[in-house]
Amino acid sequence: MAVVKLTTENFEQEVLKAGQTVLVDFYADWCGPCQMMGPVVEEIAGEVSNAKVCKINIDEQMTIAQKYGVMSIPTFAVFKNGELVKKEVGALPKAVLKGMLD
């Protein structure tokens, strides 16, 4: 499955009302570690069938980043049934990132 690009307009539908586990990558284009994690996030999106993988640019969607307390990027958040259940900050090994979905 392809990575879904999130905006304030589609966040509620794609994440909070998803009906499945959702991994959200909070990132910015200028962030080196974010750029490093981009291909890893894409790989995970192609490998998992039990979760949706999304990205949200914090510079473009600042209100959502603030709502979920994103202070550093990359931040990875897992939502289940519309609730934030896990959050990790920084570049992570692929296995750790995938493990967040369990």
Side-chain angles (χ1 to χ4, degrees), residues 5-12 55-56 60-61 64:
K5 184 158 170 81
L6 297 174
T7 64
T8 51
E9 290 77 29
N10 71 357
F11 187 85
E12 183 175 350
K55 292 177 72 94
I56 186 163
E60 297 170 359
Q61 312 298 328
I64 295 172

Side-chain angles (χ1 to χ4, degrees), residues 39-98:
V40 176
V41 172
E42 294 281 344
E43 281 178 33
I44 291 171
E47 293 173 4
V48 298
S49 57
N50 63 330
K52 181 188 289 190
V53 179
C54 304
K55 292 177 72 94
I56 186 163
N57 186 320
I58 63 152
D59 289 333
E60 297 170 359
Q61 312 298 328
M62 205 172 290
T63 54
I64 295 172
Q66 289 172 337
K67 179 177 180 178
Y68 291 101
V70 176
M71 305 294 259
S72 299
I73 51 173
T75 291
F76 299 97
V78 175
F79 291 81
K80 289 184 181 181
N81 302 315
E83 297 292 320
L84 175 64
V85 294
K86 294 179 188 167
K87 189 161 88 169
E88 295 286 337
V89 178
L92 302 171
K94 181 179 174 182
V96 172
L97 195 53
K98 257 180 116 168

Side-chain angles (χ1 to χ4, degrees), residues 23-43:
L23 173 67
V24 179
D25 173 10
F26 290 87
Y27 78 100
D29 292 333
W30 50 263
C31 165
C34 299
Q35 292 172 355
M36 197 172 73
M37 291 302 297
V40 176
V41 172
E42 294 281 344
E43 281 178 33

Side-chain angles (χ1 to χ4, degrees), residues 11-28:
F11 187 85
E12 183 175 350
Q13 191 64 40
E14 294 288 350
V15 178
L16 304 181
K17 294 181 177 178
Q20 69 187 70
T21 302
V22 182
L23 173 67
V24 179
D25 173 10
F26 290 87
Y27 78 100

